[in-house]
Amino acid sequence: MSGESAGSTVASAPVTDELDGSPLLADVLGDALPKLEIFHDKLMREGEPRGLIGPRDVAIVWERHILNSAAVVPFIRETTRNERYKTVADIGSGGGFPGLVAAACLPDHRFTLIEPMERRVEWLDECVREMGLKNVEVVRARSEEIIARIRKRDGLYPFAVATCRAVAPMTKLSGWTLPLLKSHGRLVALKGRSAQAEIDKAAKEIAKRGGVRPRVVEAEVGPGLEPTHVVLVDKR
Ligand SMILES: C[S@@+](CC[C@H](N)C(=O)[O-])C[C@H]1O[C@@H](n2cnc3c(N)ncnc32)[C@H](O)[C@@H]1O
């Protein structure tokens, strides 16, 4: 006799992450690691069934989502170095990328996660509570609504930094992010390989919204891991 009988089921092994237990995590994430382990654990259990990550991402949550998001941290730090109010708006946070990860890494910064979809807002609220993050506010809104409130001085002030990943092309994104920023603030957008072409195409929209020096930089994700691309735009 060989193999399984017809109709029998084979229990699949629980999926583990390729970087589980790697010393690289503590090297890159430092003191934020315990909070991000809670986030990682929740993503592994609930991320795919709740539609926050793709089925093929489950074995690479650390690299594709958490370490990739953490790549924005040095750019935020550099921008807020001399700022009294270290405020960051993360647009279209979805499952929490990059906003929740950056907030765990920068406890001395105040993060506002701006996300219009109700079930994603519920997820973000749960994560903030379970991770014990004290520096995060989740707002259910589109970015344009927050921009309108800032313009009307309706209890909101311009931010030092705006972050985002996978929200829209730069032609649209410049209008959804640059008006959120104070003078000398900075947009830090995680982008794919088409980043340069996107900023070339959006040159007019960027300038119209007071954006200057749009550029693409390569950002470290971790030793031995493929770097990612970040678009930086300064606000005049
Ligand atoms: C493709 S998801 C990316 C989510 C997350 N940033 C990531 O990298 O996994 C895009 C997110 O942007 C949000 N979004 C779309 N339009 C938006 C707007 N005008 N303002 C703020 N968020 C928006 C969507 O609800 C969605 O959660």
Side-chain angles (χ1 to χ4, degrees):
M1 274 208 354
S2 67
E4 305 292 322
S5 60
S8 69
T9 54
V10 182
S12 55
V15 182
T16 52
D17 192 307
E18 286 171 9
L19 288 178
D20 276 342
S22 165
L24 180 153
L25 297 175
D27 287 351
V28 177
L29 301 169
D31 292 345
L33 183 57
K35 285 188 165 53
L36 291 171
E37 280 174 333
I38 295 170
F39 185 39
H40 179 268
D41 191 49
K42 187 171 171 74
L43 280 164
M44 293 297 279
R45 283 183 282 109
E46 302 175 41
E48 201 238 312
R50 290 176 69 169
L52 298 152
I53 57 170
R56 278 177 300 186
D57 291 358
V58 180
I60 48 172
V61 168
W62 281 120
E63 181 175 355
R64 176 163 297 179
H65 294 293
I66 297 179
L67 295 174
N68 179 271
S69 293
V72 299
V73 168
F75 301 100
I76 298 175
R77 254 202 211 110
E78 186 191 75
T79 311
T80 56
R81 207 177 32 216
N82 298 319
E83 291 288 341
R84 180 160 172 214
Y85 300 108
K86 299 177 191 297
T87 53
V88 183
D90 185 55
I91 316 307
S93 306
F97 314 110
L100 276 182
V101 177
C105 295
L106 295 167
D108 62 335
H109 287 56
R110 289 238 32 107
F111 281 77
T112 303
L113 309 190
I114 300 166
E115 169 56 53
M117 275 187 65
E118 186 175 15
R119 63 185 180 80
R120 293 186 176 164
V121 168
E122 272 168 23
W123 162 267
L124 292 168
D125 280 332
E126 285 173 33
C127 292
V128 168
R129 206 170 44 244
E130 291 169 29
M131 292 165 75
L133 294 172
K134 304 288 179 227
N135 59 334
V136 178
E137 184 184 7
V138 181
V139 179
R140 183 175 177 206
R142 297 176 65 81
S143 187
E144 303 90 306
E145 297 168 57
I146 302 298
I147 291 168
R149 286 186 57 190
I150 290 175
R151 285 196 176 128
K152 281 193 263 172
R153 300 179 192 277
D154 179 13
L156 282 176
Y157 296 91
F159 295 86
V161 180
T163 56
C164 58
R165 185 183 83 162
V167 173
M170 280 304 297
T171 41
K172 250 189 198 166
L173 204 57
S174 40
W176 289 357
T177 54
L178 295 171
L180 290 169
L181 292 171
K182 56 180 285 196
S183 183
H184 305 301
R186 183 176 288 167
L187 167 63
V188 180
L190 282 161
K191 283 283 177 191
R193 290 181 190 285
S194 61
Q196 186 61 49
E198 275 195 41
I199 56 177
D200 291 345
K201 196 170 169 198
K204 249 194 223 155
E205 286 87 349
I206 292 171
K208 193 172 145 195
R209 264 66 187 223
V212 290
R213 290 208 314 131
R215 57 215 184 268
V216 183
V217 295
E218 217 176 61
E220 288 296 316
V221 170
L225 302 176
E226 198 183 326
T228 189
H229 296 95
V230 172
V231 165
L232 302 176
V233 184
D234 299 327
K235 181 83 178 274
R236 205 188 302 123

